[in-house]
Amino acid sequence: MNTDYRNTPLCPVPEGIKEKKRAMEEKIRQEHPKAKIFYNFIQARGRAYRKEFAEIYCNKCAYCGAKWGLLPVESFEIDHFINEASFPKTAAGRAKAGQINNLVWSCITCNRGKSGLFIAAPYDTILCVDNGNIAKVFFRDEGFAIQICDTYANDRFIKSFFHALHLDHEARRLDYLVLMLDEMCQKEKDEGRKSKLMRIQLNILKMRNMTVTTGGTS
C-alpha cells in the first residue's frame, strides 16, 4: 500500500520526476536556444509545456495531492520551490530561480501560501517534493486529514510550513476523498455503481467548495 499522503492506493504515482524534468529542459533548450528562465515557458497557459509539466506530477499538486481535472484549471500554478525572493534581484538570480529543477506543479492554495516562506537548508532537502522526502514529514490519519509525523511534531519551521500551505484545511481531506472516488469510478465496470460513486463525488466536491469559502480546518 502506498504510504505517500499525496497519493491514494489506486492513483498513479509520479516516478522519475527529476529525469523527466531534465528531459523537458533539454526539449525547451532545443526549441528555444536562448531560453534562460524556464519558468516563463512552462507557466504560460497557452503553451503545451504547461500540460507536459503537470503530467510529470500526474497532474497532482506536489504538496497536497489535489488533482488538476477534478479541480478547475485555474486552481493550479507553477511554483518556485525556493521562492524568487531568496535569489538575487538580478537577471542571473531570476534565471536561477526559474530553472526547471526549482519548479513544481502546485495548487494555487499551496503556491500562494508558501510564497512568503524562505526554505533554507536543511529544509530544502527535508521537504523536497521531487524525491518524495516530503512524504516522510506528513501523513494521512484515519480520517484522511494531513498531519505532521511525530519526528517533526515540534519543529517550528515544519509547523509554519504546514499552516502556511493550509495543509490542515478540511478541503485537503475532501480533495483526497474526491481523488479516491475518481479512481474508483475509473475502475468500476458496473454502470449503476459508477453512477452512485459519481453522485457521491459531486456531493463531496460541493462540500469542499463550501469549506474553502468558510475557511474550515480539519
Side-chain angles (χ1 to χ4, degrees), residues 5-6 61-66 79-81 83 104-119 127 129 134 138 146 157-172 175 208 216-217:
Y5 71 96
R6 299 168 297 176
C61 174
Y63 300 107
C64 71
D79 169 59
H80 294 83
F81 179 66
N83 65 18
V104 171
W105 183 251
S106 173
C107 73
I108 192 170
T109 302
C110 285
N111 187 22
R112 302 294 174 88
K114 191 180 75 63
S115 64
L117 286 179
F118 289 82
I119 304 179
L127 293 167
V129 295
I134 196 171
F138 307 111
I146 302 174
F157 184 80
I158 294 298
K159 288 195 288 187
S160 67
F161 181 94
F162 180 73
H163 292 299
L165 274 67
H166 306 286
L167 296 179
D168 57 337
H169 199 286
E170 172 70 0
R172 306 307 196 179
D175 284 339
R208 187 257 182 209
T217 56

Side-chain angles (χ1 to χ4, degrees), residues 81-216:
F81 179 66
I82 306 299
N83 65 18
E84 289 184 285
S86 300
F87 295 88
K89 299 184 186 304
T90 62
R94 290 191 295 274
K96 190 172 182 181
Q99 290 297 296
I100 197 167
N101 61 4
N102 189 46
L103 304 181
V104 171
W105 183 251
S106 173
C107 73
I108 192 170
T109 302
C110 285
N111 187 22
R112 302 294 174 88
K114 191 180 75 63
S115 64
L117 286 179
F118 289 82
I119 304 179
Y123 295 104
D124 56 339
T125 299
I126 292 172
L127 293 167
C128 182
V129 295
D130 287 356
N131 64 7
N133 278 359
I134 196 171
K136 301 172 185 177
V137 179
F138 307 111
F139 71 99
R140 293 273 174 184
D141 64 20
E142 292 182 353
F144 306 114
I146 302 174
Q147 305 289 354
I148 302 174
C149 294
D150 290 344
T151 304
Y152 299 98
N154 297 315
D155 188 300
R156 292 179 63 183
F157 184 80
I158 294 298
K159 288 195 288 187
S160 67
F161 181 94
F162 180 73
H163 292 299
L165 274 67
H166 306 286
L167 296 179
D168 57 337
H169 199 286
E170 172 70 0
R172 306 307 196 179
R173 186 176 72 89
L174 298 177
D175 284 339
Y176 187 79
L177 291 173
V178 168
L179 181 58
M180 288 182 67
L181 286 164
D182 184 63
E183 296 298 328
M184 292 171 67
C185 285
Q186 291 185 36
K187 294 181 181 296
E188 181 58 64
K189 302 300 183 182
D190 183 276
E191 290 301 323
R193 287 195 292 268
K194 180 180 288 190
S195 179
K196 290 180 181 179
L197 288 171
M198 291 176 69
R199 287 199 298 271
I200 295 171
Q201 183 186 45
L202 180 59
N203 287 333
I204 293 176
L205 274 171
K206 289 179 180 178
M207 290 172 58
R208 187 257 182 209
N209 292 335
M210 287 179 65
T211 64
V212 171
T213 303
T214 59

